[in-house]
Amino acid sequence: HPNRISGRLDRIAYFGDLVHYHVETSGNRELVMQLQNGADHEATAWRVGQQVELGWDESTSLVLIDDGKDVAGEEDRHLIGG
């Protein structure tokens, strides 16, 4: 893969048929990798706190930038506990 980065697996979140792997990289940045639940992938053996290395093709990535704007309304914050 042309794009590679390493970091520490901070947490794993399960969303039904999807699993999100939250990896803390240098500079306290977070990278989230999404996999189909039950996928045959090396990440399924990762454990929180473990150093991991990620690689991906540019065509399969989506970059989201925190612009500091509050996107959740009052009703949404109540639902997500914020």
Side-chain angles (χ1 to χ4, degrees), residues 21-48:
Y21 296 86
H22 296 256
V23 177
E24 184 178 316
T25 63
S26 62
N28 290 327
R29 298 201 182 259
E30 181 181 60
L31 188 142
V32 180
M33 180 178 78
Q34 177 178 288
L35 286 179
Q36 191 77 29
N37 197 353
D40 182 22
H41 191 278
E42 67 183 84
T44 59
W46 292 352
R47 300 294 174 248
V48 172

Side-chain angles (χ1 to χ4, degrees), residues 60-80:
T60 63
S61 60
L62 174 63
V63 177
L64 303 175
I65 299 172
D66 182 0
D67 62 4
K69 294 181 182 176
D70 186 10
V71 295
E74 187 64 37
E75 304 81 29
D76 297 326
R77 280 195 290 278
H78 175 71
L79 292 173
I80 60 176

Side-chain angles (χ1 to χ4, degrees), residues 1 3-7 9 12 14 19 21 23 33-36 38-48 50-56:
H1 297 286
N3 297 296
R4 300 198 72 76
I5 194 165
S6 60
L9 183 60
I12 302 170
Y14 297 91
V19 182
Y21 296 86
V23 177
M33 180 178 78
Q34 177 178 288
L35 286 179
Q36 191 77 29
D40 182 22
H41 191 278
E42 67 183 84
T44 59
W46 292 352
R47 300 294 174 248
V48 172
Q50 181 179 350
Q51 284 295 122
V52 298
E53 187 169 315
L54 305 171
W56 65 95

